[in-house]
Amino acid sequence: MVKVCDLSPLDESLQYISGVGPVLMSILSAAGFNTVRDLLFYLPRRYGEIDDSQTLSELTPGREMRVKGILTKKSTIRPPRRRPFYEITLEDSGGKLTARWFNFRPYIFDAVNIGEELILLGKVDYLRGKYQMMHPEIITLKGGGAALMAGNTHTFYSDVAGISQIKLRKLILKVLPLASQISEPLPEEIRLRRRMPTLSESVISLHAPPEGSDIVALNERRSPWQQRLIYDEFLALQLGLFLRKASHQGSGAPVIKSAKTVEELAKELFPFALTPDQAGAAREILGDLGQNKPMNRLLHGDVGSGKTAVALLAAAAAMDAGYQAAIMAPTELLALQHYTKAKEAFGELAPIELLIGNQKAAYKLRVQSAAATGRAALLIGTHALIQEGVSFKKLGLAIIDEQHRFGVMQRAALLQKAEAASGYTPHLLVMTATPIPRTMAMTVYGDLDVSTIAHLPPGRLPVITKVLREKERQSMYREIAEALARGEQAYMIYPLVEESESELLAGIKDATTMAEELANGPFKYFKVGLMHGRLTPEEKNAVMEAFHRHEIDLLISTTVVEVGIDVPSATILVVEHAERFGLSQLHQLRGRVGRGQSGGTCLLMIGGHAGDEAFERLMVLKEESSGFKVAEADLAIRGPGDIIGTRQSGMPSLKYGDLLRDGNILKAARQDAKNLLLKDPELKNYPGLKELVKNLWQDHLYLATVS
Ligand code: ADP
Ligand code: MG
């Protein structure tokens, strides 16, 4: 939405529109409609094709129709012990139709009289030999109602509390002529090249589709007018992302040139050779580190693809050049694991420190001072890294693992800590396994460069996934026991730590109770361990190390092991009450097994009450082993909002566009945004576009200078 100047009639308060009294005005403004513009950009939710060629004797059941007839009966029916309902009968020369309203009395009910000609608008049902409509809209022909009937397309708006559909439509049609004054934000060159209608034309056509409009296209948001609005939104989105990226690159970064090649570094650090994908990603990262502008890179790779090795290699390059590096992970367990791995890679004596919550105060102080003085070359930790008291002497590289678990502000905080001390921006590497479709990645991570690890390390066997029901519990226990007897290890994941008092969670199994039960029952000949978020860091560490050293065969746990945990000899993972988890989350959990050479099995146990729908949803995991495919299915089920926490990534919310559905428009907008900024990096000559960006992003853009 473009604001040109304050005098535009579009910015006029709705109270000046004739017919809008103080009462209606207060209802409108409570619903967020204050100006003419607000109303004009409230677009129909759905379109109906109206066929009023037929008489009441031959209607088509199941169709949305507009029928005309004489009101012959009107009554309030009061069945015993039930709520009253309202009924009218409409007749024409050939037939009859009854309309009913339950639970509410249409506001127009009292105003219509027997003998009056009416129009009803709704879906036709055919019940017991009679045509019926439930809750149709009534349009009276007196008082200009017929004017609302032009065209064969009927618009349906989302309900606004306190205003009827008819009133809303009337009001919108009243201000619609002002839509011709909506100014055009797009440069003419782009609009014509993309063959798009003007913004003003689009708004008008969406409220009053011209004769012969394609209703299906309208309902699927494929009309040229809707595509235009989606394009504008995406263009603003992409422009904002590019502008944000540019603002981040304003400050200089340390030039980190590694004296060693990727292969040499890998050889020093790991017992294995990097895969070609890992080596490629590492080279891209070292390339960025050598520049004096801060790296802003995403390392993307499915669960178990070996991102940690690449991160440690990048850290080694920074440390070799005399800079500090930091790795921030979302859970204590994962931070602990990274710490252990780093010690393995760099040697016990390397200046590596761990900082997590709940550490003893004295220990923390020692680590903080090591970071501040530069004695610690690599700092590994959780959110504790960005807490007060932590500072770095010379942070050259900040690495954030499982970045989708963090908010933009937390990422920014880590960088700011370094900036405050050194005056430059450190290089940033973020890692995630949460794979999202390509077009979405371009946007959500639009201000990041992306390195991808597409293939898993060699020798991995696929993880077999099965969806089980309660009756298969005993055979599941047997399968686990057999694997444990072969010397393998297993996880069993529960949604709760302890038995819940809450009624909502009645019947849901918990890790603590089950650990007890399983250790004394089916797995009494094996060593059973318990892990959950309420343990202290020392306890967690002890359990995890015991599992690593194979002093525990079966680990009963909550989802604290969901991300990152790497115990290659674990081959079976069970998730109980799997229906309570999202697909992407289950995929992450499944990634805990199949990390070694002996493959893995993931058993998804459905709780007793879950229906077939849950079963169907989980079957996606049985069929798809790729995180990308799982993410797509998850997206289709839950919508994009949930997936990568678009909110967290500092993205504005979209009103018209859908990153998944409208991938092609997104691509076009991205291209155009890029070209526009090449020509005019600050959009000086495009005030309309600037306004578009500002309206979409609001505070996001300026709050979050880093992504
Ligand atoms: P993720 O990408 O999920 O973070 P990790 O970094 O935890 O994956 O690696 C998964 C496992 O693969 C680890 O046990 C790691 O040691 C192993 N690994 C990583 N790279 C290689 C490689 N090039 N060859 C063999 N094993 C590897
Ligand atoms: Mg990892």
mmCIF file of all heavy atoms in Angstrom, residues 581-626:
data_model
loop_
_atom_site.group_PDB
_atom_site.id
_atom_site.type_symbol
_atom_site.label_atom_id
_atom_site.label_comp_id
_atom_site.label_asym_id
_atom_site.label_seq_id
_atom_site.Cartn_x
_atom_site.Cartn_y
_atom_site.Cartn_z
ATOM 1 N N PHE A 581 4.081 -35.199 17.507
ATOM 2 C CA PHE A 581 5.227 -34.447 17.013
ATOM 3 C C PHE A 581 5.024 -34.028 15.555
ATOM 4 O O PHE A 581 4.307 -34.683 14.809
ATOM 5 C CB PHE A 581 6.494 -35.305 17.097
ATOM 6 C CG PHE A 581 6.852 -35.707 18.500
ATOM 7 C CD1 PHE A 581 6.397 -36.894 19.043
ATOM 8 C CD2 PHE A 581 7.639 -34.879 19.289
ATOM 9 C CE1 PHE A 581 6.722 -37.261 20.338
ATOM 10 C CE2 PHE A 581 7.968 -35.240 20.586
ATOM 11 C CZ PHE A 581 7.505 -36.431 21.113
ATOM 12 N N GLY A 582 5.675 -32.949 15.167
ATOM 13 C CA GLY A 582 5.642 -32.514 13.771
ATOM 14 C C GLY A 582 6.547 -33.402 12.928
ATOM 15 O O GLY A 582 7.472 -34.024 13.446
ATOM 16 N N LEU A 583 6.276 -33.450 11.641
ATOM 17 C CA LEU A 583 7.060 -34.320 10.760
ATOM 18 C C LEU A 583 8.536 -33.934 10.737
ATOM 19 O O LEU A 583 9.412 -34.787 10.771
ATOM 20 C CB LEU A 583 6.506 -34.271 9.333
ATOM 21 C CG LEU A 583 5.109 -34.871 9.119
ATOM 22 C CD1 LEU A 583 4.735 -34.807 7.643
ATOM 23 C CD2 LEU A 583 5.059 -36.302 9.616
ATOM 24 N N SER A 584 8.804 -32.628 10.684
ATOM 25 C CA SER A 584 10.198 -32.205 10.611
ATOM 26 C C SER A 584 10.933 -32.560 11.901
ATOM 27 O O SER A 584 12.097 -32.936 11.880
ATOM 28 C CB SER A 584 10.298 -30.713 10.353
ATOM 29 O OG SER A 584 9.818 -30.436 9.060
ATOM 30 N N GLN A 585 10.209 -32.461 13.004
ATOM 31 C CA GLN A 585 10.808 -32.807 14.285
ATOM 32 C C GLN A 585 11.125 -34.305 14.331
ATOM 33 O O GLN A 585 12.195 -34.714 14.785
ATOM 34 C CB GLN A 585 9.830 -32.433 15.407
ATOM 35 C CG GLN A 585 10.481 -32.425 16.759
ATOM 36 C CD GLN A 585 9.501 -32.059 17.861
ATOM 37 O OE1 GLN A 585 8.282 -31.995 17.650
ATOM 38 N NE2 GLN A 585 10.019 -31.821 19.048
ATOM 39 N N LEU A 586 10.205 -35.107 13.825
ATOM 40 C CA LEU A 586 10.442 -36.553 13.794
ATOM 41 C C LEU A 586 11.616 -36.889 12.877
ATOM 42 O O LEU A 586 12.406 -37.780 13.154
ATOM 43 C CB LEU A 586 9.174 -37.286 13.338
ATOM 44 C CG LEU A 586 8.024 -37.271 14.358
ATOM 45 C CD1 LEU A 586 6.735 -37.787 13.738
ATOM 46 C CD2 LEU A 586 8.378 -38.095 15.592
ATOM 47 N N HIS A 587 11.714 -36.143 11.787
ATOM 48 C CA HIS A 587 12.833 -36.380 10.879
ATOM 49 C C HIS A 587 14.163 -36.094 11.581
ATOM 50 O O HIS A 587 15.139 -36.822 11.422
ATOM 51 C CB HIS A 587 12.677 -35.522 9.623
ATOM 52 C CG HIS A 587 13.807 -35.689 8.649
ATOM 53 N ND1 HIS A 587 13.962 -36.821 7.889
ATOM 54 C CD2 HIS A 587 14.850 -34.885 8.340
ATOM 55 C CE1 HIS A 587 15.055 -36.700 7.144
ATOM 56 N NE2 HIS A 587 15.604 -35.530 7.397
ATOM 57 N N GLN A 588 14.177 -35.017 12.362
ATOM 58 C CA GLN A 588 15.366 -34.681 13.146
ATOM 59 C C GLN A 588 15.690 -35.791 14.125
ATOM 60 O O GLN A 588 16.836 -36.215 14.258
ATOM 61 C CB GLN A 588 15.120 -33.409 13.967
ATOM 62 C CG GLN A 588 15.213 -32.129 13.187
ATOM 63 C CD GLN A 588 16.641 -31.631 13.097
ATOM 64 O OE1 GLN A 588 17.546 -32.183 13.716
ATOM 65 N NE2 GLN A 588 16.848 -30.605 12.303
ATOM 66 N N LEU A 589 14.666 -36.262 14.831
ATOM 67 C CA LEU A 589 14.878 -37.332 15.803
ATOM 68 C C LEU A 589 15.410 -38.578 15.098
ATOM 69 O O LEU A 589 16.343 -39.226 15.556
ATOM 70 C CB LEU A 589 13.559 -37.648 16.517
ATOM 71 C CG LEU A 589 13.182 -36.695 17.651
ATOM 72 C CD1 LEU A 589 11.731 -36.883 18.058
ATOM 73 C CD2 LEU A 589 14.094 -36.915 18.859
ATOM 74 N N ARG A 590 14.811 -38.885 13.958
ATOM 75 C CA ARG A 590 15.228 -40.058 13.202
ATOM 76 C C ARG A 590 16.703 -39.962 12.822
ATOM 77 O O ARG A 590 17.402 -40.956 12.698
ATOM 78 C CB ARG A 590 14.346 -40.162 11.953
ATOM 79 C CG ARG A 590 14.859 -41.128 10.919
ATOM 80 C CD ARG A 590 13.791 -41.437 9.910
ATOM 81 N NE ARG A 590 13.542 -40.336 8.970
ATOM 82 C CZ ARG A 590 12.688 -40.416 7.961
ATOM 83 N NH1 ARG A 590 11.990 -41.506 7.763
ATOM 84 N NH2 ARG A 590 12.503 -39.384 7.155
ATOM 85 N N GLY A 591 17.162 -38.721 12.655
ATOM 86 C CA GLY A 591 18.554 -38.492 12.299
ATOM 87 C C GLY A 591 19.542 -38.934 13.378
ATOM 88 O O GLY A 591 20.743 -38.952 13.152
ATOM 89 N N ARG A 592 19.042 -39.294 14.564
ATOM 90 C CA ARG A 592 19.943 -39.774 15.611
ATOM 91 C C ARG A 592 20.478 -41.161 15.280
ATOM 92 O O ARG A 592 21.468 -41.591 15.851
ATOM 93 C CB ARG A 592 19.241 -39.846 16.980
ATOM 94 C CG ARG A 592 18.834 -38.552 17.631
ATOM 95 C CD ARG A 592 19.847 -37.478 17.495
ATOM 96 N NE ARG A 592 19.360 -36.447 16.584
ATOM 97 C CZ ARG A 592 20.125 -35.781 15.730
ATOM 98 N NH1 ARG A 592 21.405 -36.038 15.637
ATOM 99 N NH2 ARG A 592 19.607 -34.885 14.923
ATOM 100 N N VAL A 593 19.785 -41.902 14.423
ATOM 101 C CA VAL A 593 20.269 -43.241 14.064
ATOM 102 C C VAL A 593 20.658 -43.277 12.590
ATOM 103 O O VAL A 593 20.359 -42.357 11.827
ATOM 104 C CB VAL A 593 19.223 -44.346 14.367
ATOM 105 C CG1 VAL A 593 19.038 -44.491 15.858
ATOM 106 C CG2 VAL A 593 17.908 -44.059 13.667
ATOM 107 N N GLY A 594 21.352 -44.340 12.219
ATOM 108 C CA GLY A 594 21.818 -44.451 10.831
ATOM 109 C C GLY A 594 23.053 -43.611 10.609
ATOM 110 O O GLY A 594 23.368 -43.221 9.500
ATOM 111 N N ARG A 595 23.774 -43.292 11.697
ATOM 112 C CA ARG A 595 24.958 -42.450 11.565
ATOM 113 C C ARG A 595 26.215 -43.283 11.412
ATOM 114 O O ARG A 595 27.272 -42.768 11.143
ATOM 115 C CB ARG A 595 25.087 -41.561 12.802
ATOM 116 C CG ARG A 595 23.912 -40.636 12.911
ATOM 117 C CD ARG A 595 24.079 -39.651 14.050
ATOM 118 N NE ARG A 595 23.354 -38.453 13.670
ATOM 119 C CZ ARG A 595 23.896 -37.251 13.541
ATOM 120 N NH1 ARG A 595 25.159 -37.068 13.780
ATOM 121 N NH2 ARG A 595 23.160 -36.237 13.168
ATOM 122 N N GLY A 596 26.103 -44.576 11.646
ATOM 123 C CA GLY A 596 27.277 -45.438 11.501
ATOM 124 C C GLY A 596 27.163 -46.257 10.232
ATOM 125 O O GLY A 596 26.505 -45.847 9.286
ATOM 126 N N GLN A 597 27.802 -47.395 10.240
ATOM 127 C CA GLN A 597 27.828 -48.223 9.039
ATOM 128 C C GLN A 597 26.758 -49.311 9.073
ATOM 129 O O GLN A 597 26.597 -50.043 8.112
ATOM 130 C CB GLN A 597 29.213 -48.885 8.889
ATOM 131 C CG GLN A 597 30.375 -47.912 8.947
ATOM 132 C CD GLN A 597 30.418 -46.982 7.751
ATOM 133 O OE1 GLN A 597 30.293 -47.424 6.603
ATOM 134 N NE2 GLN A 597 30.576 -45.690 7.994
ATOM 135 N N SER A 598 26.026 -49.429 10.193
ATOM 136 C CA SER A 598 25.095 -50.557 10.243
ATOM 137 C C SER A 598 23.634 -50.155 10.061
ATOM 138 O O SER A 598 22.735 -50.883 10.436
ATOM 139 C CB SER A 598 25.287 -51.335 11.555
ATOM 140 O OG SER A 598 25.644 -50.472 12.596
ATOM 141 N N GLY A 599 23.391 -49.013 9.472
ATOM 142 C CA GLY A 599 22.020 -48.628 9.157
ATOM 143 C C GLY A 599 21.245 -48.244 10.406
ATOM 144 O O GLY A 599 21.821 -48.042 11.485
ATOM 145 N N GLY A 600 19.943 -48.142 10.282
ATOM 146 C CA GLY A 600 19.163 -47.754 11.432
ATOM 147 C C GLY A 600 17.687 -48.016 11.207
ATOM 148 O O GLY A 600 17.235 -48.202 10.077
ATOM 149 N N THR A 601 16.964 -48.047 12.322
ATOM 150 C CA THR A 601 15.526 -48.255 12.255
ATOM 151 C C THR A 601 14.855 -47.204 13.116
ATOM 152 O O THR A 601 15.307 -46.937 14.225
ATOM 153 C CB THR A 601 15.155 -49.651 12.813
ATOM 154 O OG1 THR A 601 15.941 -50.631 12.131
ATOM 155 C CG2 THR A 601 13.682 -49.946 12.598
ATOM 156 N N CYS A 602 13.803 -46.627 12.579
ATOM 157 C CA CYS A 602 13.047 -45.638 13.333
ATOM 158 C C CYS A 602 11.632 -46.164 13.492
ATOM 159 O O CYS A 602 10.956 -46.446 12.498
ATOM 160 C CB CYS A 602 13.060 -44.303 12.586
ATOM 161 S SG CYS A 602 11.944 -43.086 13.274
ATOM 162 N N LEU A 603 11.208 -46.358 14.740
ATOM 163 C CA LEU A 603 9.878 -46.905 14.995
ATOM 164 C C LEU A 603 8.988 -45.816 15.573
ATOM 165 O O LEU A 603 9.282 -45.276 16.639
ATOM 166 C CB LEU A 603 9.990 -48.082 15.974
ATOM 167 C CG LEU A 603 10.913 -49.221 15.518
ATOM 168 C CD1 LEU A 603 11.062 -50.262 16.614
ATOM 169 C CD2 LEU A 603 10.400 -49.860 14.236
ATOM 170 N N LEU A 604 7.951 -45.489 14.865
ATOM 171 C CA LEU A 604 7.046 -44.440 15.318
ATOM 172 C C LEU A 604 5.819 -45.106 15.905
ATOM 173 O O LEU A 604 5.021 -45.711 15.189
ATOM 174 C CB LEU A 604 6.666 -43.534 14.142
ATOM 175 C CG LEU A 604 7.853 -42.895 13.426
ATOM 176 C CD1 LEU A 604 7.391 -42.134 12.188
ATOM 177 C CD2 LEU A 604 8.606 -41.967 14.375
ATOM 178 N N MET A 605 5.687 -45.016 17.211
ATOM 179 C CA MET A 605 4.580 -45.679 17.891
ATOM 180 C C MET A 605 3.459 -44.676 18.108
ATOM 181 O O MET A 605 3.647 -43.624 18.707
ATOM 182 C CB MET A 605 5.104 -46.215 19.233
ATOM 183 C CG MET A 605 4.059 -46.815 20.145
ATOM 184 S SD MET A 605 3.244 -48.258 19.453
ATOM 185 C CE MET A 605 4.325 -49.552 20.031
ATOM 186 N N ILE A 606 2.296 -45.028 17.594
ATOM 187 C CA ILE A 606 1.142 -44.146 17.730
ATOM 188 C C ILE A 606 0.402 -44.463 19.017
ATOM 189 O O ILE A 606 0.207 -45.628 19.347
ATOM 190 C CB ILE A 606 0.182 -44.355 16.538
ATOM 191 C CG1 ILE A 606 0.861 -43.908 15.254
ATOM 192 C CG2 ILE A 606 -1.105 -43.603 16.738
ATOM 193 C CD1 ILE A 606 -0.083 -43.824 14.092
ATOM 194 N N GLY A 607 -0.012 -43.432 19.741
ATOM 195 C CA GLY A 607 -0.757 -43.630 20.981
ATOM 196 C C GLY A 607 -2.126 -44.239 20.694
ATOM 197 O O GLY A 607 -2.651 -44.138 19.581
ATOM 198 N N GLY A 608 -2.696 -44.856 21.719
ATOM 199 C CA GLY A 608 -3.935 -45.598 21.571
ATOM 200 C C GLY A 608 -5.087 -44.826 20.948
ATOM 201 O O GLY A 608 -5.874 -45.381 20.190
ATOM 202 N N HIS A 609 -5.163 -43.522 21.237
ATOM 203 C CA HIS A 609 -6.343 -42.780 20.796
ATOM 204 C C HIS A 609 -6.218 -42.175 19.420
ATOM 205 O O HIS A 609 -7.192 -41.691 18.856
ATOM 206 C CB HIS A 609 -6.651 -41.665 21.800
ATOM 207 C CG HIS A 609 -6.871 -42.193 23.173
ATOM 208 N ND1 HIS A 609 -7.927 -43.014 23.476
ATOM 209 C CD2 HIS A 609 -6.155 -42.056 24.306
ATOM 210 C CE1 HIS A 609 -7.859 -43.352 24.756
ATOM 211 N NE2 HIS A 609 -6.788 -42.788 25.280
ATOM 212 N N ALA A 610 -5.005 -42.185 18.881
ATOM 213 C CA ALA A 610 -4.808 -41.485 17.610
ATOM 214 C C ALA A 610 -5.550 -42.186 16.478
ATOM 215 O O ALA A 610 -5.618 -43.410 16.416
ATOM 216 C CB ALA A 610 -3.327 -41.410 17.293
ATOM 217 N N GLY A 611 -6.098 -41.396 15.597
ATOM 218 C CA GLY A 611 -6.904 -41.952 14.518
ATOM 219 C C GLY A 611 -6.091 -42.216 13.264
ATOM 220 O O GLY A 611 -4.866 -42.120 13.266
ATOM 221 N N ASP A 612 -6.825 -42.540 12.200
ATOM 222 C CA ASP A 612 -6.173 -42.876 10.931
ATOM 223 C C ASP A 612 -5.443 -41.685 10.328
ATOM 224 O O ASP A 612 -4.459 -41.835 9.620
ATOM 225 C CB ASP A 612 -7.216 -43.371 9.922
ATOM 226 C CG ASP A 612 -7.759 -44.723 10.336
ATOM 227 O OD1 ASP A 612 -7.102 -45.380 11.171
ATOM 228 O OD2 ASP A 612 -8.836 -45.111 9.843
ATOM 229 N N GLU A 613 -5.970 -40.508 10.643
ATOM 230 C CA GLU A 613 -5.363 -39.301 10.086
ATOM 231 C C GLU A 613 -3.905 -39.172 10.529
ATOM 232 O O GLU A 613 -3.006 -38.890 9.739
ATOM 233 C CB GLU A 613 -6.156 -38.096 10.577
ATOM 234 C CG GLU A 613 -6.099 -36.901 9.669
ATOM 235 C CD GLU A 613 -6.986 -35.809 10.234
ATOM 236 O OE1 GLU A 613 -8.187 -36.068 10.474
ATOM 237 O OE2 GLU A 613 -6.462 -34.708 10.460
ATOM 238 N N ALA A 614 -3.696 -39.431 11.842
ATOM 239 C CA ALA A 614 -2.334 -39.379 12.388
ATOM 240 C C ALA A 614 -1.469 -40.417 11.702
ATOM 241 O O ALA A 614 -0.314 -40.162 11.343
ATOM 242 C CB ALA A 614 -2.367 -39.630 13.892
ATOM 243 N N PHE A 615 -2.044 -41.577 11.495
ATOM 244 C CA PHE A 615 -1.323 -42.667 10.848
ATOM 245 C C PHE A 615 -0.879 -42.248 9.449
ATOM 246 O O PHE A 615 0.284 -42.379 9.080
ATOM 247 C CB PHE A 615 -2.244 -43.896 10.776
ATOM 248 C CG PHE A 615 -1.546 -45.146 10.352
ATOM 249 C CD1 PHE A 615 -0.857 -45.918 11.275
ATOM 250 C CD2 PHE A 615 -1.580 -45.550 9.033
ATOM 251 C CE1 PHE A 615 -0.220 -47.078 10.883
ATOM 252 C CE2 PHE A 615 -0.939 -46.704 8.628
ATOM 253 C CZ PHE A 615 -0.254 -47.476 9.558
ATOM 254 N N GLU A 616 -1.809 -41.693 8.693
ATOM 255 C CA GLU A 616 -1.509 -41.247 7.324
ATOM 256 C C GLU A 616 -0.384 -40.212 7.313
ATOM 257 O O GLU A 616 0.516 -40.252 6.487
ATOM 258 C CB GLU A 616 -2.756 -40.624 6.680
ATOM 259 C CG GLU A 616 -3.825 -41.625 6.300
ATOM 260 C CD GLU A 616 -3.289 -42.700 5.369
ATOM 261 O OE1 GLU A 616 -2.607 -42.349 4.383
ATOM 262 O OE2 GLU A 616 -3.527 -43.901 5.646
ATOM 263 N N ARG A 617 -0.481 -39.287 8.245
ATOM 264 C CA ARG A 617 0.509 -38.217 8.292
ATOM 265 C C ARG A 617 1.902 -38.807 8.528
ATOM 266 O O ARG A 617 2.872 -38.430 7.894
ATOM 267 C CB ARG A 617 0.140 -37.244 9.418
ATOM 268 C CG ARG A 617 0.977 -35.997 9.466
ATOM 269 C CD ARG A 617 0.421 -35.003 10.472
ATOM 270 N NE ARG A 617 0.522 -35.465 11.839
ATOM 271 C CZ ARG A 617 1.536 -35.191 12.660
ATOM 272 N NH1 ARG A 617 2.506 -34.418 12.245
ATOM 273 N NH2 ARG A 617 1.556 -35.665 13.880
ATOM 274 N N LEU A 618 1.977 -39.767 9.446
ATOM 275 C CA LEU A 618 3.275 -40.342 9.777
ATOM 276 C C LEU A 618 3.821 -41.215 8.647
ATOM 277 O O LEU A 618 5.032 -41.410 8.534
ATOM 278 C CB LEU A 618 3.179 -41.144 11.075
ATOM 279 C CG LEU A 618 2.855 -40.289 12.298
ATOM 280 C CD1 LEU A 618 2.703 -41.152 13.530
ATOM 281 C CD2 LEU A 618 3.937 -39.244 12.526
ATOM 282 N N MET A 619 2.919 -41.724 7.818
ATOM 283 C CA MET A 619 3.370 -42.563 6.706
ATOM 284 C C MET A 619 4.290 -41.800 5.757
ATOM 285 O O MET A 619 5.093 -42.395 5.046
ATOM 286 C CB MET A 619 2.170 -43.130 5.934
ATOM 287 C CG MET A 619 1.416 -44.220 6.677
ATOM 288 S SD MET A 619 2.471 -45.595 7.172
ATOM 289 C CE MET A 619 2.425 -46.556 5.657
ATOM 290 N N VAL A 620 4.170 -40.471 5.737
ATOM 291 C CA VAL A 620 5.067 -39.660 4.906
ATOM 292 C C VAL A 620 6.525 -39.976 5.261
ATOM 293 O O VAL A 620 7.381 -40.102 4.389
ATOM 294 C CB VAL A 620 4.795 -38.150 5.127
ATOM 295 C CG1 VAL A 620 5.874 -37.298 4.482
ATOM 296 C CG2 VAL A 620 3.424 -37.780 4.590
ATOM 297 N N LEU A 621 6.771 -40.155 6.566
ATOM 298 C CA LEU A 621 8.141 -40.426 7.004
ATOM 299 C C LEU A 621 8.616 -41.804 6.572
ATOM 300 O O LEU A 621 9.794 -42.023 6.329
ATOM 301 C CB LEU A 621 8.239 -40.301 8.524
ATOM 302 C CG LEU A 621 8.202 -38.866 9.018
ATOM 303 C CD1 LEU A 621 7.930 -38.823 10.500
ATOM 304 C CD2 LEU A 621 9.523 -38.171 8.714
ATOM 305 N N LYS A 622 7.668 -42.718 6.488
ATOM 306 C CA LYS A 622 8.034 -44.061 6.034
ATOM 307 C C LYS A 622 8.484 -43.990 4.575
ATOM 308 O O LYS A 622 9.436 -44.637 4.166
ATOM 309 C CB LYS A 622 6.826 -44.977 6.183
ATOM 310 C CG LYS A 622 7.103 -46.429 5.832
ATOM 311 C CD LYS A 622 5.808 -47.224 5.986
ATOM 312 C CE LYS A 622 5.850 -48.501 5.191
ATOM 313 N NZ LYS A 622 6.668 -49.536 5.792
ATOM 314 N N GLU A 623 7.790 -43.164 3.810
ATOM 315 C CA GLU A 623 8.091 -43.116 2.380
ATOM 316 C C GLU A 623 9.252 -42.186 2.020
ATOM 317 O O GLU A 623 9.955 -42.431 1.058
ATOM 318 C CB GLU A 623 6.837 -42.706 1.597
ATOM 319 C CG GLU A 623 6.105 -43.904 1.032
ATOM 320 C CD GLU A 623 4.683 -44.026 1.550
ATOM 321 O OE1 GLU A 623 3.930 -43.062 1.417
ATOM 322 O OE2 GLU A 623 4.354 -45.098 2.115
ATOM 323 N N GLU A 624 9.422 -41.134 2.802
ATOM 324 C CA GLU A 624 10.430 -40.145 2.433
ATOM 325 C C GLU A 624 11.617 -40.179 3.378
ATOM 326 O O GLU A 624 11.458 -40.044 4.582
ATOM 327 C CB GLU A 624 9.831 -38.732 2.474
ATOM 328 C CG GLU A 624 8.751 -38.477 1.450
ATOM 329 C CD GLU A 624 9.265 -38.568 0.030
ATOM 330 O OE1 GLU A 624 10.497 -38.660 -0.169
ATOM 331 O OE2 GLU A 624 8.422 -38.568 -0.888
ATOM 332 N N SER A 625 12.804 -40.335 2.829
ATOM 333 C CA SER A 625 13.966 -40.281 3.703
ATOM 334 C C SER A 625 14.652 -38.925 3.597
ATOM 335 O O SER A 625 15.486 -38.573 4.414
ATOM 336 C CB SER A 625 14.948 -41.397 3.345
ATOM 337 O OG SER A 625 15.338 -41.252 1.996
ATOM 338 N N SER A 626 14.285 -38.155 2.580
ATOM 339 C CA SER A 626 14.945 -36.860 2.413
ATOM 340 C C SER A 626 14.245 -35.780 3.226
ATOM 341 O O SER A 626 13.026 -35.643 3.205
ATOM 342 C CB SER A 626 14.956 -36.470 0.930
ATOM 343 O OG SER A 626 14.604 -35.114 0.776
#
